[in-house]
Amino acid sequence: MVEKIFQDALFAAIAAIGFAAISRPPRRAYVYCALIAAVGHSLRFVLMDCLYINIVLSTAVASFAVGVLSVYLSPVARTPAEACFFPALLPMIPGMYAYRSFGGFAMCLLSSDQGAFEHYFYLFARNGMMCGCIILCMVVGATLPIFIFKKVSFQATR
């Protein structure tokens, strides 16, 4: 199980470096983005697979941890906390839920049978709500530490 946790952390760190390259923070922030993503994604993995906590609650806890780590590591990286936590959060985006939601929506439009429409609408609604709730938890969980730890979070930009 420890190997799976490290593997999850490694892939999240690699993805965060790729997302950081797109948003172009200072080069010194890449290491911190990777570290924060690895900790956050592996925390969510542990909460879901070891403690069997729902993905929405696990994402909320992991995003809060990402936000706290970003706030406290941003003065070290001399970048705003947002520059660290945006790339670190992107590996946690619920891509499969969004994909299945769009697929259910497309099949709703294409179905002519009422039973099939209801089934696909259920898939659309369920996956869409899960995707929306997960993204909402990511946003709130990551930005909350910036407001809680105001003195520390604005040290990096002074």
Side-chain angles (χ1 to χ4, degrees), residues 99-155:
Y99 177 77
R100 289 179 188 143
S101 177
F102 180 74
F105 178 71
M107 292 306 293
C108 276
L109 295 177
L110 297 174
S111 66
S112 58
D113 179 37
Q114 181 179 354
F117 176 84
E118 290 173 357
H119 171 70
Y120 291 123
F121 187 79
Y122 165 77
L123 292 176
F124 164 65
R126 182 182 187 282
N127 289 312
M129 285 191 325
M130 287 293 284
C131 182
C133 287
I134 291 169
I135 290 174
L136 181 67
C137 285
M138 286 171 54
V139 169
V140 171
T143 55
L144 204 57
I146 291 175
F147 297 113
I148 293 173
F149 306 110
K150 270 188 179 178
K151 285 186 176 182
V152 178
S153 65
F154 294 114
Q155 278 181 345

Side-chain angles (χ1 to χ4, degrees), residues 58-70:
S58 298
T59 301
V61 171
S63 337
F64 187 78
V66 164
V68 169
L69 283 172
S70 296

